[in-house]
């Protein structure tokens, strides 16, 4: 063994951290952790806010899509044309055939009737058909029949159907009736005048805004929601469609010359439009057309402009909604329909689309 291996090693002994060095290290670590925590919180808040905005955008677009698709199918009555028969206003929440707007008669001088494809009764029906309905927004009744044909013998008891005929010897153009237990009242035949014609289910859907989505007796979320009451098996079934819908308004395109295109839009077809001297964007000509005939106005509706105000379902901290939202043409005078400002922490946006009543406008072209 050499001498060098026996030298003491005390001069190369390892030293530990001093208290000051340890405190500096801890302080630096705390700063780093605080920065990372702040970044995490900021990212979480941004992500949450993005989710809120995404849901609000999706809800608004979905509500407009649902309404426009339904309006585009309005007025489908199989072979029949609402232009060829007297059009009448359907009664909201009605269960009887005639109140729904369907009447076929063989009496001399009497007119067979079909319901308006779209109609706003102007007031909320005094019925439990539309529970928790908002009293400040309109109701839209959409009338049509199902495009699915069903054999007359297979008609479901309690359901209401429309049967049409192309047989020239039939005394009635159609039969609208509710299937009774033990038999079917549908006697019309097809073009060959021997085969019994199929039936189509009568559909009435009432779109409205409710003041809540979950409207329980003990709990109420107070979230404004687009809902539909659908006539099914002699009663109305209410279904929530889109939550967070704050306001809903409609403008109706009136075909004044029967060519299938709207000549002007009005907020309420029940009365003459406001003064034509207003701005060009809301002007509606009054010369050469009888605006006092509300029935004719509703019969001439060929398009509907839908305005939806969608609201986020949760508040956004630090946000105050001070905006005013334009929701359509003037109901009276020259002032446009507006909503807001709400001055709360919910974010909102207006979505607008125009739907064409193809079953009405297409027959006029």
């Amino acid at each position: 063994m050499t001498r060098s291996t026996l030298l003491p090693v005390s001069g190369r002994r390892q030293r530990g951290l001093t208290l000051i060095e340890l405190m500096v290290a801890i302080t630096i670590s705390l700063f780093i952790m605080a920065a990372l925590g702040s970044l995490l919180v900021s990212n979480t808040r941004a992500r949450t806010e993005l989710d809120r905005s995404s849901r609000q955008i999706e809800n608004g677009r979905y509500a407009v899509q649902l309404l426009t698709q339904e309006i585009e199918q309005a007025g489908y009555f199989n072979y029949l044309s609402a232009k060829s028969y007297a059009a009448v206003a359907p009664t909201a929440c009605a269960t009887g055939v005639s109140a729904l707007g369907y009447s076929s008669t063989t009496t001399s001088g009497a007119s067979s009737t079909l319901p308006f494809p779209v109609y706003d009764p102007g007031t909320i029906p005094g019925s439990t058909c539309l529970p928790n309905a908002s009293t400040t927004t309109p109701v839209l009744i959409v009338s049509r029949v199902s495009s699915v044909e069903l054999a007359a013998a297979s008609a479901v008891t309690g359901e209401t159907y429309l049967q049409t005929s192309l047989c020239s010897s039939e005394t009635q153009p159609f039969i609208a009736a509710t299937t009774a237990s033990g038999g079917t009242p549908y006697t019309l035949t097809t073009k060959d005048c021997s085969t019994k014609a199929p039936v189509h289910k009568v559909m009435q859907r009432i779109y409205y805004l409710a003041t809540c989505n979950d409207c329980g007796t003990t709990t109420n979320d107070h979230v404004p929601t687009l809902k539909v009451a659908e006539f099914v098996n002699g009663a109305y079934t209410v279904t929530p469609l889109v939550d967070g819908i704050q306001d809903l308004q409609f403008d109706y395109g009136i075909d004044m010359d029967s060519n299938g295109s709207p000549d002007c839009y009005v907020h309420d077809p029940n009365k003459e439009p406001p003064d034509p001297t207003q701005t060009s964007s809301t002007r509606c000509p009054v010369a050469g057309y009888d605006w006092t005939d509300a029935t004719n106005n509703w019969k001439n509706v060929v398009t509907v402009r839908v305005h939806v105000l969608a609201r986020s379902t949760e508040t956004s901290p630090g946000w105050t909604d001070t905006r005013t939202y334009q929701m359509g043409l003037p109901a009276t005078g020259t002032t446009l329909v507006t909503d807001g400002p709400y001055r709360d922490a919910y974010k909102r946006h207006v979505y607008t689309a125009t739907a064409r009543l193809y079953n009405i406008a297409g027959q006029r072209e």
Side-chain angles (χ1 to χ4, degrees):
M1 182 178 295
T2 64
R3 181 180 176 86
S4 61
T5 60
L6 300 176
L7 291 175
V9 296
S10 59
R12 293 183 283 119
R13 184 177 300 145
Q14 183 178 0
R15 298 174 59 191
L17 293 174
T18 66
L19 180 59
I20 295 176
E21 291 174 330
L22 180 60
M23 293 178 65
V24 170
I26 292 175
T27 301
I28 294 175
S29 299
L30 289 176
F31 276 116
I32 294 175
M33 291 179 63
L36 292 176
S38 177
L39 179 62
L40 179 61
V41 170
S42 177
N43 286 340
T44 301
R45 288 177 177 173
R47 178 67 182 179
T48 301
E49 193 60 36
L50 181 61
D51 288 342
R52 290 194 191 104
S53 298
S54 297
R55 288 195 300 270
Q56 179 257 318
I57 293 172
E58 181 179 358
N59 287 349
R61 290 178 175 176
Y62 183 52
V64 167
Q65 180 182 0
L66 278 176
L67 290 167
T68 54
Q69 287 181 346
E70 185 66 25
I71 291 169
E72 287 172 350
Q73 299 178 70
Y76 172 70
F77 302 116
N78 196 16
Y79 302 124
L80 307 179
S81 166
K83 183 180 179 182
S84 303
Y85 296 91
V88 297
T91 302
C93 301
T95 56
V97 174
S98 59
L100 289 167
Y102 300 87
S103 176
S104 178
T105 178
T106 57
T107 304
S108 176
S111 298
S112 298
T113 65
L114 292 173
F116 297 135
V118 293
Y119 181 65
D120 176 10
T123 58
I124 302 298
S127 167
T128 57
C129 164
L130 307 179
N132 307 107
S134 167
T135 58
T136 60
T137 53
V139 168
L140 185 69
I141 304 175
V142 179
S143 299
R144 64 182 178 95
V145 298
S146 172
S147 59
V148 178
E149 290 187 349
L150 183 68
S154 301
V156 178
T157 300
E159 282 283 17
T160 303
Y161 296 91
L162 178 72
Q163 185 186 45
T164 58
S165 174
L166 291 178
C167 175
S168 58
S169 62
E170 295 284 7
T171 58
Q172 289 179 275
F174 62 88
I175 290 177
T178 300
T179 309
S181 177
T184 59
Y186 313 107
T187 60
L188 299 183
T189 57
T190 58
K191 191 174 182 179
D192 62 9
C193 298
S194 60
T195 305
K196 185 167 287 190
V199 295
H200 295 255
K201 180 181 176 298
V202 168
M203 302 178 69
Q204 187 189 87
R205 290 175 176 167
I206 309 174
Y207 292 88
Y208 73 103
L209 286 191
T211 56
C212 48
N213 185 2
D214 183 2
C215 306
T217 55
T218 57
T219 59
N220 189 319
D221 57 14
H222 300 288
V223 177
T225 303
L226 175 64
K227 295 186 178 183
V228 61
E230 183 173 7
F231 181 57
V232 178
N233 202 23
Y236 285 85
T237 301
V238 176
T239 304
L241 298 176
V242 190
D243 58 0
I245 304 303
Q246 186 93 59
D247 198 355
L248 175 67
Q249 299 292 334
F250 302 100
D251 295 326
Y252 300 92
I254 307 296
D255 179 14
M256 301 170 62
D257 53 10
S258 297
N259 66 354
S261 299
D263 296 292
C264 72
Y265 283 85
V266 297
H267 182 76
D268 184 3
N270 286 304
K271 56 188 176 183
E272 185 173 336
D275 187 354
T277 60
Q278 59 191 279
T279 60
S280 60
S281 61
T282 59
R283 182 178 299 165
C284 202
V286 295
Y289 184 86
D290 182 10
W291 287 102
T292 63
D293 187 350
T295 297
N296 194 51
N297 295 341
W298 280 108
K299 188 174 181 179
N300 287 332
V301 172
V302 292
T303 57
V304 179
R305 197 154 50 204
V306 181
H307 306 275
V308 169
L309 177 61
R311 190 203 80 178
S312 58
T313 56
E314 299 174 350
T315 58
S316 298
W319 171 266
T320 301
D321 186 7
T322 60
R323 294 180 292 184
T324 299
Y325 302 92
Q326 182 176 319
M327 295 296 295
L329 297 175
T332 58
T334 60
T335 303
L336 297 175
V337 176
T338 59
D339 199 352
Y342 285 89
R343 305 190 186 283
D344 56 19
Y346 292 101
K347 290 188 175 181
R348 297 173 175 84
H349 190 76
V350 175
Y351 299 87
T352 300
T354 300
R356 187 168 188 248
L357 280 72
Y358 290 105
N359 294 294
I360 305 303
Q363 296 170 0
R364 298 183 175 210
E365 291 181 346

